[in-house]
Amino acid sequence: MLEIRDLHIAYPKSASEAVRGVSFDLSHGRMAGLVGESGSGKTTIVTAVLGLLPEGSRGSGAILFEGRNLLALPEDELRRLRWKEIALVPQGAQNSFTPVKTIGSHIEEVLRVHLGVTGETARSRAAELLEQVELDARIVKRYPHELSGGQKQRAAIALALACEPRLLLADEPTTALDVITQAGVLKLLMRLKAERDLTVLLVTHDLPLAASVCDELLVMKDGELVERGAPRKLIHSPEQPYTRRLVEAIL
Ligand SMILES: Nc1ncnc2c1ncn2[C@@H]1O[C@H](COP(=O)(O)OP(=O)(O)OP(=O)(O)O)[C@@H](O)[C@H]1O
Ligand SMILES: [Mg+2]
């Protein structure tokens, strides 16, 4: 479904590359974990997949989504894919809600802008989406500050699912949550993946957490993909010194 080939990305005005020669595949229906320390380039990859890098960024290689190279796609075609085919739960999603708008109106806006769905249909769809992420449908009427961190994270997932994407990019969806709430959000992602036939790229700096839910792990360091493999193999017999350090850090 997603094939990344020798991807290089440099931000504007930056002499060095944030992503250097990364290649990996993500097959339909799988959940891969992109792990690595802060600044290793995880968010940069996710942002590139959505075609949302800042103006003036330089990229080479290919990001193939079902055969089409997203790096070479014109903006209007990318816009057609965003939300409907590929959706993002952004890093810090909990803080990305507009404080003066209710949770319901955030979801309704996405439905209106991307699907042209309005009125009662949009309202009931918003309530339904909240129920799918195991939130009370009455939360549509609440403002972001009236939700807990875990509830906001679930609401952000509901928002990402609004247009029924096939590929979900979740950037640190459990960071800043307590362990019990983290487990709940991960279980939710796994359930949604199975029920909705989603393919998921889960970004996290938390190796054990990724290992507990992903089919495959991709380990990043300083913009490079240093190791990839099944969680069990990677944790029990890491090949690269960096992966070994990451594993040792959790023991
Ligand atoms: N908008 C930007 N402009 C310039 N440089 C950036 C920008 N965003 C990120 N960078 C740089 O690119 C590199 C990779 O950052 P990125 O956000 O992809 O890391 P990350 O792995 O997601 O880290 P974290 O775990 O902290 O979220 C870093 O050196 C960062 O400083
Ligand atoms: Mg990041």
Side-chain angles (χ1 to χ4, degrees):
M1 167 168 271
L2 184 69
E3 296 172 46
I4 298 199
R5 295 276 164 269
D6 195 25
L7 182 64
H8 290 258
I9 294 161
Y11 282 103
K13 295 191 217 118
S14 169
S16 62
E17 292 180 334
V19 170
R20 300 185 287 151
V22 167
S23 301
F24 66 85
D25 293 355
L26 178 55
S27 322
H28 175 116
R30 310 257 297 169
M31 178 158 4
L34 192 58
V35 299
E37 64 196 13
S38 186
S40 56
K42 306 181 299 294
T43 297
T44 304
I45 291 182
V46 164
T47 312
V49 171
L50 282 167
L52 290 175
L53 288 169
E55 187 89 24
S57 302
R58 294 157 340 262
S60 67
I63 301 175
L64 302 169
F65 176 71
E66 302 191 323
R68 275 182 293 175
N69 186 4
L70 303 182
L71 272 186
L73 228 50
E75 176 57 27
D76 59 330
E77 285 188 42
L78 276 173
R79 212 175 297 138
R80 250 176 278 160
L81 292 178
R82 257 181 242 138
W83 293 92
K84 281 181 267 188
E85 302 283 334
I86 308 174
L88 171 72
V89 181
Q91 185 163 12
Q94 297 178 38
N95 307 317
S96 67
F97 289 103
T98 308
V100 296
K101 278 169 53 179
T102 61
I103 297 299
S105 53
H106 280 88
I107 302 179
E108 284 172 43
E109 184 181 340
V110 169
L111 293 170
R112 178 176 56 76
V113 171
H114 300 279
L115 301 179
V117 172
T118 56
E120 192 44 49
T121 318
R123 273 192 291 283
S124 61
R125 180 87 184 107
E128 205 178 282
L129 279 159
L130 289 175
E131 282 173 348
Q132 284 175 14
V133 297
E134 296 152 16
L135 288 174
D136 191 312
R138 285 172 297 188
I139 280 181
V140 286
K141 294 210 173 63
R142 297 232 207 129
Y143 289 89
H145 73 270
E146 296 173 315
L147 267 59
S148 72
Q151 286 174 325
K152 268 191 273 196
Q153 201 60 59
R154 284 172 188 269
I157 294 172
L159 196 61
L161 295 178
C163 305
E164 309 202 333
R166 288 179 297 148
L167 174 62
L168 183 69
L169 311 169
D171 195 351
E172 304 277 7
T174 62
T175 306
L177 301 177
D178 62 79
V179 285
I180 303 282
T181 313
Q182 277 189 351
V185 169
L186 287 177
K187 252 169 101 178
L188 169 69
L189 279 178
M190 289 172 77
R191 203 200 81 216
L192 293 168
K193 168 183 167 263
E195 286 179 6
R196 304 174 70 119
D197 195 24
L198 271 175
T199 307
V200 182
L201 184 63
L202 173 69
V203 174
T204 174
H205 59 264
D206 191 330
L207 179 71
L209 181 133
S212 67
V213 293
C214 292
D215 304 302
E216 176 171 38
L217 298 183
L218 307 154
V219 181
M220 298 276 302
K221 181 181 189 298
D222 298 336
E224 294 183 41
L225 186 65
V226 293
E227 191 163 356
R228 60 176 297 183
R232 190 183 292 261
K233 183 195 158 283
L234 225 130
I235 285 186
H236 294 292
S237 50
E239 281 171 16
Q240 295 298 319
Y242 179 70
T243 314
R244 213 168 299 141
R245 286 222 310 279
L246 274 186
V247 171
E248 278 162 8
I250 60 178
L251 298 176

